[in-house]
Amino acid sequence: MSLLLFNVYTDDLTSLSDANRKVFLIAYDDDILLLSPSVTTTLQNLFSGCELEFKYLDVAINHKKTHCIRTGARCSVDCANISTCKGHTISWVSEVRYLGIFVIRSSHFKCTFDNAKRSFYSAVNGILSKFLNNASEDVIL
């Protein structure tokens, strides 16, 4: 119920998206993704708009869990910092997790599934370790 209420209260954030300026806000449950073609003006303004809305709703943004990632031809070039209204700097990272998918910094949109593979193999090995000693060959296969 809390995620449903969160979405109802943050519905006004969708007004920050503007296809003409190529600025988008994608929200799923309590995970929010901000997309912008420009860091210095557009992304900072979009982030500030989100902060104002959250301040109005008395919801805090955890600046330690908030990250920026850059994709495109200039992905490895340093760019301006995004900061919160309290003066905290949002860190630029080379890999960010969004809804279980890891997006990595690259000249084009790119995801890595290494962590998902590792989790899958770990789960399978955990299950097999429980059954290998006591199970028949049919169960193991």
Side-chain angles (χ1 to χ4, degrees), residues 4 7 11 14 25 27 30 34 37-38 59 82 86 107 113:
L4 176 66
N7 288 328
D11 188 51
T14 58
L25 183 141
D30 62 345
L34 305 175
S38 167
V59 174
I82 302 297
K86 293 183 180 180
S107 58
F113 298 100

Side-chain angles (χ1 to χ4, degrees), residues 22-37:
K22 297 182 181 174
V23 175
F24 300 98
L25 183 141
I26 301 169
Y28 183 80
D29 290 339
D30 62 345
D31 291 327
I32 297 174
L33 179 66
L34 305 175
L35 301 172
S36 167

Side-chain angles (χ1 to χ4, degrees), residues 10 23 34-35 40 49 51 57 82 88 108 115-116 118 123 125 136:
T10 58
V23 175
L34 305 175
L35 301 172
T40 53
E51 272 193 309
L57 295 171
I82 302 297
H88 299 289
H108 57 280
N115 293 317
R118 233 178 273 122
N125 285 330
S136 68

Side-chain angles (χ1 to χ4, degrees), residues 32-98:
I32 297 174
L33 179 66
L34 305 175
L35 301 172
S36 167
S38 167
V39 173
T40 53
T41 55
T42 316
L43 185 59
Q44 180 66 58
N45 290 341
L46 187 59
F47 184 78
S48 298
C50 286
E51 272 193 309
L52 286 174
E53 184 66 28
F54 284 142
K55 189 175 183 180
Y56 174 74
L57 295 171
D58 198 26
V59 174
I61 294 176
N62 187 344
H63 69 277
K64 293 178 182 175
K65 289 184 175 181
T66 304
H67 304 287
C68 294
I69 189 167
R70 191 171 186 183
T71 59
R74 300 181 58 200
C75 66
S76 58
V77 176
D78 290 338
C79 54
N81 289 325
I82 302 297
S83 58
T84 66
C85 62
K86 293 183 180 180
H88 299 289
T89 301
I90 305 302
S91 63
W92 286 91
V93 295
S94 60
E95 181 179 276
V96 66
R97 181 178 183 205
Y98 182 70

